[in-house]
Amino acid sequence: MSRHKLGMAPVLLWLSLFLIIPMLIVAGISFLQRDALGQLVFSFSIEGYKTFFDPLYLGIYWDTIVLSVTTTVICLLISYPMAYYIANAPPRVQTWGLILITVPFWINFLIRTYAWILLLRTQGVVNTLLMEFGWIQEPLQLLYTPGAVLLGMVYNFIPFMVLPIYVALEQMDKRLLDAAYDLGASKWKAFRHITLNQSKSGIMTGCVLVYVSTTGMFVVTDILGGAKSAMISNIIQSQFLGARNWPFGAALSVIFVLTSLILILLFNRAMQARYLKVKEGGA
Amino acid sequence: MKKSVWTRLLLAGLLTTVAALSLAGCGSDKETLHIYSWADNFDPDVLKDFEKQYDVKVTYDNYANNEDLLAKIKAGGSGYDLIQPSDYMVKTMIDLDLLEPIDMNNIPNFENISETFKNPEFDPGNQYSIIYTSGVTGIAYNKKYVKEDIKSWDDLWNPAYEGKVLLLDDNREMIGMALKKQGKSNSTTDEAEIKGAEEELKTLLPNVLAFDTDNIKQKMIQEEGWIATVWSGDASFIAKDNPDVAYVVPQEGATIFSDNYAIPKGSKNKELAEKFMNYMMDPEVSAKNYEFIGYSNPNTKAMDFHTEEYRSDTMINLTDEELGRTEWLKDVGEALQTYDRSWNELKSGR
């Protein structure tokens, strides 16, 4: 037992040095004041938190949540069939499927995002092809639109969804399905009560990973959205740099972390409640 | 069965992991000048020449904006000897006591610098800074698509350019532009005036294709945008790749900016930094350097060494008449929060 604890020491040290202490510093800064040059003034203030409840910033936060939830749902809808297919394929196909999904990660995230510009811009691949085929006369404005932002987000985060679901599906006890069929369950019923239920942990992990990554992402909105919208992470960044308002930026960060945690907990609750209901219904 | 999943995942994971081992440079006794500046702001050959001539080493790190620079220098212990803050940032850094006074006795070549750029309002008497390059935020437009004669900021609002206007992704620059259009100072601290500029910019949004600072050049070269707010040096860069692009300093006036040499407090090689500045202001060296970076050279003696192409580039060498219509951005103190808020309202459509 004590040896076990000793083994945990590096992890705890790492977490406290690089996660907990920095977060506490941010939380501390959020209660400070600033002067006109952006220097921190060491006296207590909740001005940063007050500013957040301005309709402007509440609205920006709402936009961010809507975009993140939309991205998560689309990722889930695309990734589940993908993961399902890979998990049920022969081992060779499985390996290749996983490699194909992870290969894009060999390339830097920014480069992958810039590559979309080449595809989507007015003189880009998509527009050129469509005009070649004579389907459109004028190039379509694909880039710098909310659609392009959503596309970039979904594209970048699909692996985060596929991999956890794949692991869950692969580890599922497939004998349960046989049992369900033997008891006369339809294909859909068996899928709903067994496969879907058993892969719940994967769905959960995938959704949390995608949601959290999306809310913190501002590069995609800048590059593919033409910086025409403001996400909460853009605002946080600008408070620490251009606007020289660290207490407000820190307050936003604290609120951001807390609301994400609450949303994840609620989501977790909902998933568990569903699971219990299914169990009761089945009994 | 469980094992095989993890083996496969591990295999995929291993394949995706690229481990890059960077070996720290070997130690050397040579004096080293640590420069922290914008990307591509020096001709690498000129830096090499300096290393050779003075038997020293030069390191050169980059930042993308003045705020990054400020954050790094404020944090202390950066170890840099020479930085290149823009005009308003020089003032901010002086106010924050982050700069070392420059000893002009070590920089005799300072006399080569044009009087226009000596003694700037953000650093009277050049106590802490010396001009490196300057430019003006004007309008670049592609004559293939823009047939009108562009003279005024008002032209950006022309409905003919719906979805084809590019703006700098910079709060002070763009609100400053709208202020200039309305005949106000680009650095007003009057809340109503800032608000008025925001309303003006809101009516421009239907024309805006994108906000971009770093890649606005590419977007103009690729003809994604037809007309844009662009720094004069960038306009020259664009026009070299796309000769259809012209540049104008609008009649209402515009924002002038400069990048400057400065020495941060805590520099361990202050004298070497001064030696470097003096070297860079040598007419011949200077010409070589500015030919490479393609920005304006404030060194009057260097003109003889420049190519005809550089000297005749009207986007690099702005006329006194054009410069006369410009205004520096000043630090607006607490009003910065109003600018920030207006910018956020504009971006979020609220």
Side-chain angles (χ1 to χ4, degrees):
Chain A
M1 191 68 184
S2 72
R3 182 182 289 182
H4 193 75
K5 271 185 186 160
L6 209 65
M8 287 287 287
V11 180
L12 289 177
L13 191 72
W14 179 272
L15 281 179
S16 49
L17 266 183
F18 297 113
L19 186 73
I20 297 169
I21 294 177
M23 296 256 276
L24 288 176
I25 294 175
V26 170
I29 291 175
S30 71
F31 291 106
L32 294 181
Q33 285 178 6
R34 56 180 284 282
D35 65 15
L37 285 171
Q39 304 262 71
L40 291 174
V41 178
F42 287 86
S43 61
F44 182 83
S45 157
I46 53 162
E47 203 47 49
Y49 292 92
K50 270 206 213 131
T51 317
F52 172 73
F53 288 98
D54 185 308
L56 168 65
Y57 295 106
L58 284 175
I60 291 173
Y61 202 18
W62 174 248
D63 290 349
T64 310
I65 292 175
V66 168
L67 176 68
S68 306
V69 169
T70 317
T71 305
T72 310
V73 170
I74 297 176
C75 274
L76 180 62
L77 292 178
I78 297 174
S79 304
Y80 198 92
M82 239 157 117
Y84 186 85
Y85 171 78
I86 296 174
N88 288 297
R92 254 183 90 81
V93 181
Q94 287 198 27
T95 309
W96 277 107
L98 290 175
I99 288 176
L100 284 180
I101 284 172
T102 39
V103 156
F105 278 90
W106 294 2
I107 300 160
N108 177 286
F109 161 81
L110 277 178
I111 297 175
R112 272 183 285 137
T113 308
Y114 274 114
W116 278 105
I117 295 185
L118 297 181
L119 293 175
L120 298 179
R121 69 180 180 212
T122 38
Q123 299 177 336
V125 177
V126 174
N127 270 316
T128 315
L129 277 179
L130 288 177
M131 301 223 316
E132 261 329 279
F133 290 143
W135 291 347
I136 52 169
Q137 305 306 318
E138 288 283 303
L140 304 171
Q141 189 57 54
L142 303 169
L143 256 185
Y144 318 123
T145 59
V149 173
L150 196 59
L151 178 76
M153 293 281 195
V154 169
Y155 163 77
N156 274 307
F157 294 126
I158 273 188
F160 288 43
M161 190 66 95
V162 172
L163 295 178
I165 296 179
Y166 162 78
V167 171
L169 286 172
E170 172 67 58
Q171 291 180 331
M172 189 182 104
D173 187 347
K174 297 208 168 61
R175 287 173 309 179
L176 286 172
L177 279 176
D178 296 334
Y181 292 140
D182 286 348
L183 292 170
S186 67
K187 257 196 150 168
W188 167 243
K189 218 169 178 184
F191 172 77
R192 213 162 66 97
H193 289 291
I194 298 180
T195 313
L196 204 54
N197 202 21
Q198 294 279 315
S199 55
K200 215 183 47 188
S201 66
I203 295 176
M204 172 76 205
T205 315
C207 286
V208 169
L209 282 178
V210 173
Y211 176 82
V212 171
S213 312
T214 317
T215 44
M217 172 65 61
F218 54 86
V219 188
V220 174
T221 40
D222 279 2
I223 298 177
L224 297 179
K228 281 192 285 190
S229 56
M231 296 288 113
I232 201 72
S233 37
N234 296 98
I235 306 287
I236 293 177
Q237 189 216 22
S238 74
Q239 296 312 313
F240 281 100
L241 295 174
R244 301 185 207 158
N245 192 344
W246 285 32
F248 181 41
L252 284 177
S253 309
V254 169
I255 292 167
F256 180 77
V257 170
L258 288 181
T259 42
S260 288
L261 277 179
I262 292 169
L263 278 174
I264 292 165
L265 281 178
L266 285 177
F267 184 60
N268 207 350
R269 245 326 141 68
M271 295 286 276
Q272 246 143 28
R274 216 191 100 73
Y275 176 63
L276 286 177
K277 218 173 79 195
V278 168
K279 251 171 99 176
E280 274 162 22
Chain B
M1 198 212 255
K2 270 187 185 176
K3 203 170 160 190
S4 71
V5 189
W6 293 114
T7 323
R8 271 198 291 280
L9 270 180
L10 191 68
L11 181 61
L14 275 179
L15 279 166
T16 50
T17 309
V18 179
L21 285 175
S22 64
L23 292 167
C26 328
S28 129
D29 297 335
K30 274 187 197 169
E31 236 188 318
T32 307
L33 179 72
H34 300 279
I35 302 176
Y36 192 40
S37 179
W38 309 86
D40 306 320
N41 223 22
F42 297 103
D43 179 351
D45 282 346
V46 170
L47 295 184
K48 263 182 224 143
D49 293 346
F50 176 74
E51 284 183 325
K52 242 182 263 159
Q53 188 159 335
Y54 290 88
D55 191 32
V56 293
K57 231 175 92 72
V58 175
T59 67
Y60 175 22
D61 296 339
N62 303 150
Y63 52 83
N65 56 58
N66 281 295
E67 283 66 32
D68 284 351
L69 165 70
L70 176 64
K72 193 119 174 193
I73 300 299
K74 229 165 84 176
S78 61
Y80 292 116
D81 304 309
L82 190 75
I83 54 178
Q84 296 198 299
S86 299
D87 38 277
Y88 72 96
M89 188 50 71
V90 170
K91 173 87 171 78
T92 305
M93 292 183 121
I94 295 173
D95 289 347
L96 288 170
D97 194 24
L98 294 172
L99 298 182
E100 201 68 64
I102 295 175
D103 186 353
M104 285 298 175
N105 294 324
N106 294 333
I107 311 177
N109 282 337
F110 179 62
E111 63 169 43
N112 300 342
I113 300 296
S114 152
E115 291 301 324
T116 318
F117 294 106
K118 279 182 183 166
N119 193 21
E121 59 185 50
F122 52 83
D123 178 22
N126 289 94
Q127 270 191 286
Y128 299 93
S129 68
I130 299 175
I131 176 95
Y132 180 67
T133 186
S134 80
V136 172
T137 310
I139 298 177
Y141 58 100
N142 191 317
K143 284 178 283 185
K144 244 202 279 180
Y145 308 102
V146 176
K147 299 294 180 199
E148 292 81 2
D149 201 15
I150 301 298
K151 280 200 291 265
S152 152
W153 291 117
D154 206 32
D155 293 319
L156 296 176
W157 271 258
N158 186 338
Y161 312 139
E162 191 189 335
K164 294 297 176 192
V165 174
L166 295 167
L167 298 181
L168 291 169
D169 192 10
D170 186 308
N171 142 6
R172 288 293 310 279
E173 283 267 21
M174 288 303 98
I175 295 178
M177 180 270 279
L179 284 165
K180 282 268 136 196
K181 177 175 183 257
Q182 298 178 334
K184 314 264 168 54
S185 158
N186 63 10
S187 300
T188 182
T189 51
D190 182 305
E191 202 160 320
E193 287 187 359
I194 300 170
K195 200 76 197 155
E198 179 198 339
E199 294 306 321
E200 183 89 59
L201 284 176
K202 274 185 182 160
T203 64
L204 179 59
L205 284 179
N207 273 10
V208 176
L209 173 66
F211 292 91
D212 195 340
T213 303
D214 300 334
N215 294 305
I216 198 163
K217 293 185 289 233
Q218 280 69 29
K219 288 187 168 82
M220 278 306 282
I221 293 169
Q222 306 287 351
E223 302 182 1
E224 285 182 85
W226 295 352
I227 180 164
T229 55
V230 164
W231 298 325
S232 49
D234 279 0
S236 159
F237 182 96
I238 295 166
K240 278 188 191 103
D241 269 18
N242 191 332
D244 289 321
V245 173
Y247 171 82
V248 63
V249 177
Q251 60 195 16
E252 299 96 331
T255 294
I256 183 172
F257 59 85
S258 66
D259 291 340
N260 307 274
Y261 291 110
I263 303 173
K265 275 255 157 76
S267 156
K268 294 197 180 66
N269 298 299
K270 183 169 176 282
E271 265 173 49
L272 184 59
E274 286 162 349
K275 218 183 268 178
F276 177 75
M277 290 185 225
N278 192 52
Y279 178 79
M280 296 300 282
M281 284 172 224
D282 172 87
E284 219 175 325
V285 174
S286 174
K288 183 175 177 191
N289 185 50
Y290 287 86
E291 286 284 336
F292 176 88
I293 63 171
Y295 259 76
S296 76
N297 191 347
N299 195 319
T300 41
K301 297 246 174 74
M303 279 307 140
D304 297 340
F305 298 95
H306 271 295
T307 58
E308 181 51 36
E309 193 199 353
Y310 181 94
R311 270 181 294 182
S312 61
D313 190 326
T314 54
M315 302 182 199
I316 295 176
N317 306 291
L318 299 171
T319 63
D320 286 344
E321 193 272 322
E322 285 170 318
L323 290 177
R325 269 181 277 147
T326 59
E327 184 184 0
W328 297 96
L329 283 178
K330 282 170 276 296
D331 196 303
V332 291
E334 205 45 52
L336 185 61
Q337 301 312 306
T338 314
Y339 278 90
D340 182 58
R341 201 196 148 83
S342 277
W343 188 243
N344 291 338
E345 282 177 357
L346 182 74
K347 285 287 197 79
S348 68
R350 287 189 169 81

